[in-house]
Amino acid sequence: MARQDFTIPKLILKCRSNNTMGSSIQGLVQISRFTRELPVAFQGPKPNPSPKTTVENDSIRRGIAAELYTKGAAMEGSRRNIRLLKANYIKEFTLLGQAEDPLDLKKCYIDLNSLQAREESAIRQAEVEAERIGVGVTSEAQSIFDALSKTLPVRWDKTAIVVMNEVRVCSPYLPECVSGGTAAAKDRVKKVVEFERKRLQSRNSGGGGGAAPPPKQEELQPHPVKDQLPNISYCITSPPPWPEAILLGFQHYLVMLGTTVLIPASLVPQMGGGNEEKAKMIQTILFVAGLNTLFQTLFGTRLPAVIGASYSYVPTTISIILAGRYSDIVNPQEKFERIMRGTQGALIVASTLQIVVGFSGLWRNVARFLSPLSAVPLVALSGFGLYEFGFPVLAKCVEIGLPQLILLLLFSQYIPHMIRGERPVFDRFAVIFSVAIVWVYAHLLTVGGAYKNAGPKTQITCRTDRSGIIGAAPWIRVPYPFQWGAPTFDAGEAFAMMAASFVALVESTGVFIAVSRYASATPLPPSILSRGIGWQGVGILFSGIFGTGNGPSVSVENAGLLALTRVGSRRVVQISAGFMIFFSILGKFGAVFASIPAPIIAALYCLFFAYVGSAGLSLLQFCNLNSFRTKFILGFSFFMGLSIPQYFNEYTVVNGYGPVHTGARWFNDMINVPFSSEPFVAGVLAMFLDVTLHKKDNATRKDRGMHWWDRFRSFKTDTRSEEFYSLPFNLNKFFPSV
């Protein structure tokens, strides 16, 4: 048989063995020279060769290279076994016929449905693998995610790890950052996170692949520094379940009612208004506070901060009330409206200060000089500086104020340690429980005649039926712009209100830092803080347009409530803003809650203001307390921050006017109002000393704590800023933060 006979693509051959004892096997033969598969009948020896046999030679007589398959192994994709067969075993090949060519394009068939199914399966697998990769997270976070995914269903929610659709692990991915879900699920996730972090630490400490060094003897070391506060149940981006979120939002609404009611209660009688005007003013403040809170949480700093009425504007408003141009008005209703319109004009002009300073980025440049050292007095006295609204107000009716304080401490601090459940209930809703009990108790004292023969001041502060708000409030009323008439403008009053606005700006900066701490967010980048100040300026503009008689700032008491509940969720505060707007429209229902006696609210302040003050003290962890420079700046700014306002306030109480007393009332307010604010004096003084006593060396920067905040001075230098502070609806493309 000539060699060219094997150029046929596929042949049927017969192979005869020299050994007559052999047995025949049908199969395929592949010729190495032509790499063709040929079906053959092979006559081989008795030793039963493998179903697949290879014979190597250059010619037919001496043998050929072949791959032999059995019939069952001739199917596509079958397993092939190769064995070397000696050439002298083969006697001859016989051509039995020609088979079909598998490479014939005319008879080629492709299963498109099968190919498409394989493509879709590959795409799905690639998508699953892509979802497992976190965007903008550290390798440590990815390792924790991979460890959790081995036994539990997990997914990424921006930079937070969501386990079983209920448990969240937020940055910096410590066991204390695990929140949500049942107690059993949370404990399971905590154990995995703790074990994985220990494994990563041991691997890193192992160095270049050798065994890890033996652990050193335990040494006394300070607590580690945390740029995010641990042990928060729900951080800023992790909302609690809806029923719990609604109750927590209502609790925030109850807390912010204190300032909302106390300020109109003191201003309206001096303005010439009665209970009806007081009820309308409270409704308007509530309505505008709801709008400002929504805008701040959506487009401002995006922190869970409630924007409500502020005491910083009260002295300036009183100065407007005492202006000579209103003294000749006899009709109380007309006097109230004229004073309110004058206040509106001053607020509208004063709003430009924060709008310009915030949106232009000027406050961003100022905030970059703020170090942890200079922020301590500012934040601490934002809470501690309001001590006059705590126990002094509580003591005006100690029989209901003191029980409220005791019950609040029991529900929030003691009962949770005595009664342990799957979910924290008593500490999380301590305000609702304690206020409900004491409010009922105060009402029983009122109807029982306990204050029947008491003086007028005692009856106003203790009785639950003397606020006059419920009867005067309308059932349904929507506050609208310029409801008191067209605003009037006075240059002196506008400048005085600008001074009050600047004081509120500084105070809000301190409270924003406290809110970011209790929301378990990273320190505020200066650009985000400046953006929030700009939107607060818009809130002052709304106050002037609607006629609240008072300007807004960040609510200190609601910042303290974040610490009490350990829930820093943005959604909860947005729900509370909904309650503010809802109850401002339904006046009667809102008036019921607004009639809570002031001593009950003051008891809440004792705890909430303390929490905000302690947030400022917690910033000391970034500073070197062994430095005499640090000791001087802290001690001097704290002392002067308490001493100077005390002097200004006492002087005003005794003499009826401030230490700066000239013929221009607006100039007096521009000096007296800032120096009557504890956080303003302490914060400005601490920042001035910190900057002017700053030596440009690395040791001083570390003493100030600047090396901890350097990565937060810009929005893009820390990946977590995108999670906490980025604008919704992809607005960062149009309004990028720097």
Side-chain angles (χ1 to χ4, degrees):
M1 184 179 294
R3 182 178 299 177
Q4 59 268 21
D5 293 339
F6 291 94
T7 60
I8 301 173
K10 200 163 189 180
L11 303 176
I12 302 177
L13 303 176
K14 183 178 181 181
C15 179
R16 183 180 299 174
S17 173
N18 290 328
N19 191 344
T20 57
M21 300 291 293
S23 58
S24 298
I25 300 176
Q26 297 287 336
L28 295 176
V29 64
Q30 179 179 354
I31 302 175
S32 61
R33 183 179 296 275
F34 306 104
T35 64
R36 300 293 189 219
E37 291 183 347
L38 306 176
V40 298
F42 172 73
Q43 184 72 24
K46 185 66 177 178
N48 192 15
S50 168
K52 180 176 181 178
T53 307
T54 301
V55 183
E56 292 185 351
N57 210 332
D58 289 337
S59 65
I60 298 300
R61 292 184 180 182
R62 297 173 59 190
I64 60 175
E67 289 182 347
L68 188 63
Y69 306 91
T70 62
K71 288 183 178 180
M75 303 298 293
E76 180 182 359
S78 60
R79 185 172 181 178
R80 305 178 182 184
N81 297 316
I82 300 175
R83 180 184 174 186
L84 181 66
L85 183 66
K86 291 184 178 181
N88 57 3
Y89 275 33
I90 302 174
K91 184 177 182 181
E92 66 175 338
F93 281 104
T94 304
L95 178 63
L96 301 178
Q98 183 174 354
E100 296 180 356
D101 184 6
L103 303 179
D104 188 359
L105 297 178
K106 295 181 180 179
K107 300 180 179 180
C108 183
Y109 174 74
I110 299 176
D111 190 352
L112 294 179
N113 293 331
S114 176
L115 290 177
Q116 188 175 5
R118 289 175 60 189
E119 179 187 18
E120 293 176 353
S121 176
I123 292 174
R124 285 195 300 268
Q125 183 65 24
E127 290 175 347
V128 171
E129 294 297 328
E131 289 177 355
R132 292 172 53 86
I133 302 174
V135 179
V137 300
T138 61
S139 59
E140 185 182 64
Q142 187 64 50
S143 299
I144 293 174
F145 180 92
D146 295 338
L148 289 168
S149 64
K150 292 179 181 178
T151 56
L152 297 169
V154 294
R155 60 180 175 84
W156 285 105
D157 183 10
K158 294 184 178 178
T159 59
I161 303 174
V162 181
V163 187
M164 298 180 290
N165 287 327
E166 56 176 351
V167 182
R168 297 179 67 90
V169 186
C170 298
S171 176
Y173 312 102
L174 299 170
E176 297 83 3
C177 301
V178 179
S179 61
T182 61
K186 191 187 301 183
D187 291 341
R188 183 179 179 185
V189 174
K190 282 184 177 180
K191 289 179 180 178
V192 176
V193 172
E194 185 176 5
F195 175 80
E196 183 63 18
R197 292 190 69 89
K198 288 181 179 179
R199 189 186 69 82
L200 291 173
Q201 291 174 0
S202 63
R203 185 179 66 182
N204 294 335
S205 63
K216 297 180 180 180
Q217 186 176 1
E218 185 177 357
E219 300 176 356
L220 295 177
Q221 293 182 349
H223 295 289
V225 175
K226 305 287 186 182
D227 51 19
Q228 287 181 256
L229 185 65
N231 298 318
I232 298 296
S233 299
Y234 296 97
C235 63
I236 183 173
T237 57
S238 57
W242 277 104
E244 187 174 349
I246 292 173
L247 284 176
L248 289 168
F250 179 73
Q251 196 165 235
H252 273 279
Y253 163 73
L254 281 182
V255 169
M256 67 87 55
L257 277 177
T259 307
T260 304
V261 175
L262 290 175
I263 291 178
S266 63
L267 291 179
V268 171
Q270 301 180 62
M271 298 169 68
N275 288 335
E276 184 177 350
E277 286 76 19
K278 182 165 64 175
K280 289 182 179 180
M281 187 173 174
I282 292 173
Q283 283 182 271
T284 306
I285 292 177
L286 271 178
F287 185 80
V288 174
L291 293 180
N292 290 338
T293 301
L294 282 178
F295 282 121
Q296 189 65 241
T297 55
L298 286 173
F299 309 114
T301 59
R302 304 220 68 206
L303 289 171
V306 173
I307 310 298
S310 173
Y311 292 105
S312 302
Y313 299 88
V314 172
T316 307
T317 305
I318 294 176
S319 180
I320 295 175
I321 294 172
L322 299 176
R325 56 185 175 138
Y326 304 117
S327 59
D328 297 335
I329 303 175
V330 180
N331 187 354
Q333 177 69 23
E334 182 184 357
K335 182 179 180 180
F336 174 83
E337 292 181 357
R338 290 278 298 275
I339 293 175
M340 181 62 76
R341 288 158 59 188
T343 307
Q344 285 183 256
L347 286 170
I348 291 174
V349 176
S351 66
T352 59
L353 174 68
Q354 292 197 25
I355 291 176
V356 172
V357 168
F359 288 135
S360 68
L362 180 60
W363 197 246
R364 175 190 66 213
N365 298 329
V366 174
R368 282 178 175 163
F369 290 99
L370 192 68
S371 68
L373 176 59
S374 56
V376 170
L378 172 62
V379 181
L381 291 190
S382 294
F384 296 146
L386 298 173
Y387 59 87
E388 57 185 306
F389 299 104
F391 200 84
V393 179
L394 179 153
K396 291 181 179 179
C397 189
V398 71
E399 57 266 29
I400 63 174
L402 194 58
Q404 170 63 39
L405 181 59
I406 294 173
L407 283 178
L408 184 63
L409 291 175
L410 287 175
F411 279 116
S412 63
Q413 305 300 325
Y414 291 95
I415 294 181
H417 295 282
M418 294 185 291
I419 303 176
R420 296 183 179 272
E422 290 189 359
R423 291 182 178 273
V425 177
F426 294 102
D427 52 345
R428 191 158 292 174
F429 303 103
V431 172
I432 294 179
F433 290 144
S434 59
V435 169
I437 293 173
V438 178
W439 196 10
V440 171
Y441 164 68
H443 185 68
L444 293 177
L445 291 178
T446 301
V447 298
Y451 308 111
K452 189 174 183 180
N453 300 320
K457 289 185 178 180
T458 303
Q459 295 203 15
I460 292 175
T461 55
C462 296
R463 293 181 68 96
T464 58
D465 57 354
R466 287 300 176 90
S467 62
I469 303 174
I470 300 176
W475 282 101
I476 298 177
R477 180 180 179 273
V478 181
Y480 55 91
F482 308 116
Q483 56 188 331
W484 313 108
T488 59
F489 298 92
D490 181 85
E493 294 172 357
F495 281 119
M497 194 64 77
M498 276 190 177
S501 174
F502 185 65
V503 173
L505 183 154
V506 174
E507 293 177 351
S508 294
T509 299
V511 184
F512 272 135
I513 295 174
V515 171
S516 67
R517 191 75 184 153
Y518 286 133
S520 191
T522 54
L524 272 167
S527 59
I528 303 301
L529 178 61
S530 186
R531 189 176 72 193
I533 294 300
W535 277 102
Q536 186 168 278
V538 174
I540 300 174
L541 179 62
F542 285 158
S543 298
I545 291 174
F546 283 88
T548 61
N550 184 265
S553 68
V554 185
S555 173
V556 182
E557 54 268 30
N558 288 90
L561 182 59
L562 296 176
L564 180 71
T565 60
R566 299 187 184 183
V567 176
S569 171
R570 183 187 298 127
R571 179 182 294 174
V572 169
V573 173
Q574 290 171 342
I575 291 173
S576 73
F579 278 115
M580 298 174 206
I581 297 174
F582 177 78
F583 285 114
S584 68
I585 296 174
L586 298 179
K588 289 289 186 185
F589 296 98
V592 172
F593 299 108
S595 63
I596 298 175
I600 295 179
I601 302 298
L604 301 178
Y605 288 170
C606 291
L607 201 60
F608 297 151
F609 293 163
Y611 264 127
V612 174
S614 64
L617 297 180
S618 69
L619 300 178
L620 290 172
Q621 65 180 313
F622 302 109
C623 308
N624 180 14
L625 296 180
N626 293 319
S627 167
F628 278 95
R629 178 183 181 276
T630 302
K631 294 178 184 296
F632 166 71
I633 294 175
L634 285 176
F636 188 69
S637 58
F638 265 105
F639 183 83
M640 299 305 290
L642 292 171
S643 182
I644 293 177
Q646 179 68 17
Y647 165 72
F648 272 77
N649 293 329
E650 280 189 1
Y651 193 98
T652 303
V653 170
V654 173
N655 299 283
Y657 50 83
V660 179
H661 184 60
T662 65
R665 188 182 294 273
W666 61 272
F667 179 78
N668 301 338
D669 291 338
M670 290 186 67
I671 305 299
N672 291 329
V673 171
F675 285 99
S676 299
S677 170
E678 288 87 351
F680 179 86
V681 174
V684 171
L685 182 59
M687 187 172 181
F688 174 78
L689 294 174
D690 191 32
V691 172
T692 55
L693 295 177
H694 170 49
K695 296 179 181 179
K696 295 184 178 180
D697 58 81
N698 193 42
T700 305
R701 284 182 56 82
K702 288 185 177 181
D703 290 346
R704 302 170 64 206
M706 287 299 291
H707 63 296
W708 289 104
W709 279 15
D710 277 342
R711 55 182 168 177
F712 305 112
R713 294 181 68 184
S714 176
F715 178 78
K716 296 180 180 179
T717 51
D718 191 90
T719 56
R720 292 170 291 179
S721 298
E722 180 75 20
E723 175 188 0
F724 299 134
Y725 305 116
S726 61
L727 291 172
F729 315 122
N730 209 19
L731 290 176
N732 272 353
K733 287 185 177 180
F734 307 101
F735 306 99
S737 300
V738 295

